[in-house]
Amino acid sequence: MQLAGIESVVLESRSRKDIEETIRAGVLEQGTVDLMNEIGAGARMMREGFPHEGIHLRFDGRDRRIDFPALTGGKKVMVYAQHEVIKDLVALRLQTGGEIRFEVSEVGLHGLDAEAPRVRYRQGGASHELGCDFIAGCDGTQGVSRPAIPAGVLSVYERIYPFGWYGILCNAPPSSDELIYALHERGFALVSTRSPEVQRMYLQVDPADKVENWSDERTWAEFRARLATRDGWLPKEGPIFHKVIVGMRSFVVEPMQHGRLFLAGDAAHVVPPTGAKGLNLAASDVRILARAIAAHYKSGSRELLQDYSATALRRIWKAQRFSWWMTSMLHRFPGGDAFQYRVQLSELDYVTSSRAASASLAENYVGLPLD
Ligand code: PHB
C-alpha cells in the first residue's frame, strides 16, 4: 500500500525487540520470496536465506526425495525464519517513512459499518483515536479484530488433531541439506534447520505431554528411532537449548470481511504446520487485500474489495486441504489400526513414485498461484 501511495498506520501490541526476537518457523513459498523482492524487502533474505529445491519423505526405512524445480517448472522454496522476515519488513517500513506504533494496548474497533470506522487505543499512558477508511485485522488468533465482528456473522470451520509437535532447537550442524518429513510406527518426525549452527527438529507427541518428560537422552533416542533408514542414517546431535510442545489445528472463518474491517492471516485461519503454509497464507492475503484497496483508491471501484474474502478463501482452502492431507499422511492417529498405517505407507510410496502425485505435492509445497 505504501508503494501505491496509500497512507496507513500499523498498531502493534508488542515491542519491536519482542517481535524481532520471537523465534518462528519459516519456509517461504516462491510467491512469498517474489513478494519480498518486489516490495524491496528481499535483499537480506536473498543473501542469508537457504534456497531448498526439494524435501525428503522418509518411511518404512526408505528415503525418497521430491524435486521441486523438476516437477514445477523451476520453482523452489526459501528457508528464512519468520522473525527475520519481520525484521526486514519493520526496517523497510521505518526507513521509507511508514508508521508503526509499538506497545499499544486496549485496541478497540468502532463503527465498522460506517463510512469512517475508528480505532481507539492507548500508548504510553495516553488514549488515542484513529479515523480511517479501512481496517486490516492482521492481529492473529488472539487479536481483537475477529471478536469485533458481531456474533452470528462468521461461520467457523475447525478440526483439532489428536496430537501435537514437540519442537527442539539445538546447536549442531545440519543433519540434511533439505527438510526430512518422516512417518514411523512411533509417529511423525521432522528435520528442519535455522542456520548452519542451529537446527530445528520436531516429534509427534500427545498434545497434553510436557517437555519435562523429554530428557535430552530420550529426545535423541526418539529421533534416531523415527528417522532410521535401512542404511543406518543418524541425526547430528548437539546441545538442546529450547523445547516446546504445540497443539495442532485447522481453522477458518468465513467471510473474512465485515463492513470496513478485513481479516488477514491467522486472524481468519490457522493451518497445522506440516505443510509450512501459515506465513505464506498471511502474505497472500495481504497481497490480495492491498491490491483491492489500491484499486479502490485508483478507480473508485469496490469490486476487488467486495471479492476479497472469496478470492482469498479459494487459496486458503486449497492450502487447508494440503496441510490437512500432509498431516493425515504423516502422523499416527491414536487408535489408528495396522490397516490405516499400511494405507499411509502405501500413499507415501505412491506420492514418491508417481510423477503425477509427486508433482501435486510439489506444486502445493512451493505455493499455488494467487488466483
Ligand atoms: C520449521 O522449520 O520450524 C518448520 C519447517 C517445516 C514445517 C514446519 C516447521 O512444515
Side-chain angles (χ1 to χ4, degrees):
M1 288 198 299
Q2 200 165 348
L3 293 175
I6 299 162
E7 193 190 343
S8 63
V9 175
V10 176
L11 298 181
E12 169 59 58
S13 62
R14 299 166 68 196
S15 69
R16 178 175 182 182
K17 183 171 187 300
D18 210 16
I19 59 170
E20 293 186 345
E21 288 181 358
T22 305
I23 296 190
R24 293 178 190 276
V27 176
L28 309 188
E29 294 175 351
Q30 181 79 58
T32 307
V33 170
D34 295 345
L35 178 60
M36 287 287 283
N37 283 324
E38 273 166 49
I39 63 174
R44 195 167 68 93
M45 168 191 73
M46 296 310 284
R47 271 199 319 274
E48 298 178 14
F50 303 97
H52 281 213
E53 300 203 335
I55 55 168
H56 291 256
L57 294 177
R58 189 168 287 185
F59 55 100
D60 202 22
R62 285 176 289 176
D63 185 281
R64 297 229 183 107
R65 179 166 186 265
I66 305 281
D67 182 332
F68 296 151
L71 293 160
T72 63
K75 293 183 184 164
K76 55 191 168 196
V77 296
M78 180 80 89
V79 173
Y80 187 65
Q82 183 170 332
H83 55 281
E84 304 297 341
V85 172
I86 286 175
K87 282 184 208 165
D88 298 343
L89 290 176
V90 167
L92 176 69
R93 181 155 177 97
L94 297 179
Q95 264 162 32
T96 51
E99 254 197 276
I100 308 178
R101 300 188 189 161
F102 290 102
E103 294 178 81
V104 304
S105 59
E106 294 173 48
V107 179
L109 314 185
H110 304 274
L112 298 179
D113 289 318
E115 282 297 297
R118 282 158 292 116
V119 181
R120 295 200 193 116
Y121 64 95
R122 292 183 68 80
Q123 189 186 33
S127 300
H128 301 270
E129 181 171 297
L130 283 170
C132 44
D133 293 339
F134 303 106
I135 301 171
C138 311
D139 50 354
T141 50
Q142 308 299 319
V144 300
S145 299
R146 195 179 63 245
I149 297 176
V153 171
L154 299 178
S155 300
V156 177
Y157 303 89
E158 185 169 33
R159 169 147 308 183
I160 296 179
Y161 298 91
F163 36 75
W165 277 14
Y166 160 44
I168 62 154
L169 287 166
C170 69
N171 290 117
S175 289
S176 166
D177 290 344
E178 293 175 336
L179 272 55
I180 304 170
Y181 291 82
L183 173 65
H184 186 272
E185 254 183 303
R186 304 174 62 88
F188 170 80
L190 172 61
V191 177
S192 180
T193 183
R194 287 286 174 274
S195 72
E197 298 84 29
V198 174
Q199 309 314 318
R200 181 65 154 159
M201 298 170 70
Y202 299 93
L203 291 169
Q204 171 185 353
V205 295
D206 185 300
D209 205 347
K210 298 268 173 287
V211 294
E212 296 77 60
N213 297 330
W214 287 91
S215 67
D216 293 8
E217 297 85 297
R218 181 180 173 212
T219 302
W220 288 117
E222 199 61 28
F223 277 120
R224 287 193 298 267
R226 294 192 194 182
L227 292 163
T229 60
R230 288 171 192 182
D231 50 12
W233 188 93
L234 287 172
K236 297 220 167 67
E237 301 180 16
I240 299 173
F241 62 90
H242 178 77
K243 299 180 181 178
V244 66
I245 292 179
V246 291
M248 300 194 22
R249 65 177 182 143
S250 302
F251 172 86
V252 182
V253 295
E254 297 185 5
M256 289 167 60
Q257 179 209 352
H258 179 70
R260 287 175 168 252
L261 168 65
F262 296 84
L263 301 179
D266 282 16
H269 45 78
V270 176
V271 284
T274 327
K277 288 284 164 249
L279 162 66
N280 295 293
L281 281 182
S284 56
D285 285 357
V286 295
R287 168 173 252 189
I288 295 166
L289 182 57
R291 199 166 60 183
I293 291 175
H296 167 72
Y297 285 114
K298 204 160 172 205
S299 68
S301 154
R302 280 284 178 88
E303 211 180 315
L304 288 184
L305 272 174
Q306 271 153 9
D307 289 348
Y308 166 69
S309 179
T311 306
L313 281 164
R314 272 197 299 279
R315 192 168 193 283
I316 288 157
W317 273 112
K318 287 182 194 123
Q320 287 287 351
R321 184 213 64 87
F322 177 67
S323 307
W324 160 85
W325 172 73
M326 286 282 280
T327 302
S328 307
M329 177 170 67
L330 285 162
H331 291 75
R332 296 269 356 234
F333 283 74
D337 55 17
F339 180 85
Q340 187 179 3
Y341 183 55
R342 306 306 291 180
V343 169
Q344 285 172 280
L345 292 178
S346 169
E347 179 154 35
L348 283 159
D349 191 13
Y350 172 61
V351 160
T352 53
S353 58
S354 149
R355 189 176 169 93
S358 37
S360 169
L361 190 155
E363 74 172 349
N364 279 279
Y365 200 97
V366 302
L368 294 173
L370 262 200
D371 21 43

